[in-house]
Amino acid sequence: MSRKRIVLLFTFLGMLLFIFNGKTVQAGTVNDYIISNKIQPAQIQNREGTFSVWTPYENGVGKPEGVVIHETADDHVSATAENEATYFNNNWNYIEAYVHAFVDNNEIINIHSTDYGVWGAGPTANAKYIQVELCHTHDYDSFARSIANDAYYTASKLIQYNLPDKPTVTILSHDQISKTYGETDHTDPVGYFNNWGYSMDQLYDMIGYYYNNLKDSGNVYGNNANSDLPTTNSANVINVNNTNGSYVPLVAFNNGVATKINNRALANKTAWYTDQTQDYNGVTYHRVATNEWVAANYII
């Protein structure tokens, strides 16, 4: 190769942009972009949806085996997490489908208690896994932020239920579910990820990065991060932390009596949507999920 060709090649590589389906994607991985910019995931908003089928997992209530990653296959600009959640809440009984959460570049909206199964990936998977839908975005930065939110939600749920970070075992794509159980023919999110030069392997890495940092320090970016908590302007979102332990304990109320929940907890330094409070033995408790309450003394 001539010196002139070498110079031209390196000039081209230095300016390289990858084009996928008309979308311009910057060189370097999405994960690198997220970490180098310390993109802060959104807080998880826990809202009670309209899905009225309360089916325990095959191992019992509050015993999921992992998380299934979906994508909505809706490329409309209006197909945000907010609008997708509203659509499913209004139509689940007609379309016979429902998931636990929707994620986009701005929000993480949990619409059904992850203690119970939903209808998103066929009977076998529905009885085993938490299920989250990733909404489509239309620029590189928004896609990266949606991935950060998806990874944070997944890592947080693994920690909440004391599950290990095991790609293809506790974290699965709908594509893998289809191939494993043969009850659906969906291949998401593989095709959508391909459009952005992304892959499930990269998402596994991002989830693992957040998972390890959350367990070690309570922060998605570890002890050296500039901020310990997701920012929020909502009066209904609480930030929790247990200075005397690794996790924030939860209680359930049965017949007016508080009982400690032993198989679930909240990660330290995480944000939660709360919709109700009640007092018990002089302590105010805030509801963060169906019959899951955290004491006010753990609120920062």
Side-chain angles (χ1 to χ4, degrees):
M1 183 180 293
S2 70
R3 179 176 297 179
K4 182 177 180 180
R5 284 188 173 184
I6 292 173
V7 170
L8 289 173
L9 175 62
F10 277 94
T11 299
F12 173 73
L13 290 175
M15 300 171 61
L16 186 60
L17 296 174
F18 298 102
I19 309 296
F20 295 94
N21 272 13
K23 299 181 177 72
T24 302
V25 181
Q26 297 173 357
T29 71
V30 171
N31 292 355
D32 290 341
Y33 181 84
I34 294 169
I35 295 170
S36 64
N37 288 285
K38 286 189 168 59
I39 291 175
Q40 187 64 55
Q43 73 272 11
I44 299 172
Q45 302 175 47
N46 288 291
R47 307 179 188 175
E48 195 61 67
T50 63
F51 191 60
S52 58
V53 181
W54 299 93
T55 307
Y57 295 105
E58 62 182 11
N59 292 327
V61 175
K63 295 183 178 180
E65 298 173 38
V67 181
V68 174
I69 308 296
H70 298 268
E71 56 90 0
T72 61
D74 190 339
D75 209 41
H76 289 91
V77 175
S78 61
T80 62
E82 193 77 46
N83 290 339
E84 290 289 318
T86 298
Y87 175 80
F88 271 70
N89 278 328
N90 291 338
N91 297 283
W92 66 265
N93 52 333
Y94 302 110
I95 63 176
E96 297 185 342
Y98 205 81
V99 294
H100 290 100
F102 287 91
V103 170
D104 62 16
N105 54 306
N106 294 314
E107 293 185 291
I108 304 171
I109 304 175
N110 198 102
I111 56 175
H112 193 66
S113 171
T114 49
D115 284 351
Y116 298 87
V118 288
W119 299 346
T124 303
N126 293 344
K128 293 175 179 289
Y129 303 110
I130 296 166
Q131 302 186 50
V132 56
E133 288 271 5
L134 180 66
C135 298
H136 284 206
T137 54
H138 302 87
D139 63 79
Y140 185 80
D141 181 74
S142 294
F143 178 72
R145 291 179 185 279
S146 72
I147 290 296
N149 288 339
D150 210 31
Y152 173 67
Y153 177 83
T154 304
S156 295
K157 288 300 174 182
L158 294 178
I159 292 171
Q160 179 181 345
Y161 291 100
N162 296 315
L163 293 168
D165 166 36
K166 288 189 175 181
T168 75
V169 177
T170 60
I171 312 163
L172 308 95
S173 65
H174 195 174
D175 178 58
Q176 183 184 346
I177 292 294
S178 295
K179 292 174 179 175
T180 301
Y181 301 115
E183 296 171 344
T184 60
D185 59 2
H186 292 212
T187 60
D188 54 306
V190 175
Y192 175 60
F193 280 0
N194 286 342
N195 292 343
W196 289 103
Y198 201 66
S199 69
M200 277 302 299
D201 285 338
Q202 289 175 290
L203 182 61
Y204 293 146
D205 289 343
M206 197 69 235
I207 293 167
Y209 177 85
Y210 280 169
Y211 179 92
N212 290 329
N213 283 337
L214 284 169
K215 292 199 76 172
D216 291 344
S217 67
N219 187 286
V220 290
Y221 295 110
N223 289 318
N224 295 323
N226 294 326
S227 173
D228 286 340
L229 295 165
T231 58
T232 176
N233 293 320
S234 174
N236 290 328
V237 174
I238 56 174
N239 294 300
V240 298
N241 187 48
N242 180 6
T243 57
N244 297 315
S246 300
Y247 304 100
V248 176
L250 293 166
V251 302
F253 282 97
N254 298 297
N255 298 319
V257 177
T259 305
K260 183 179 179 181
I261 298 175
N262 293 316
N263 63 345
R264 295 183 304 285
L266 305 181
N268 278 335
K269 297 181 180 178
T270 55
W272 296 85
Y273 180 85
T274 181
D275 61 350
Q276 295 181 28
T277 62
Q278 67 173 299
D279 294 331
Y280 179 78
N281 286 347
V283 178
T284 299
Y285 289 83
H286 295 252
R287 192 174 85 150
V288 294
T290 304
N291 205 16
E292 295 181 9
W293 305 74
V294 60
N297 53 294
Y298 294 110
I299 297 175
I300 302 172

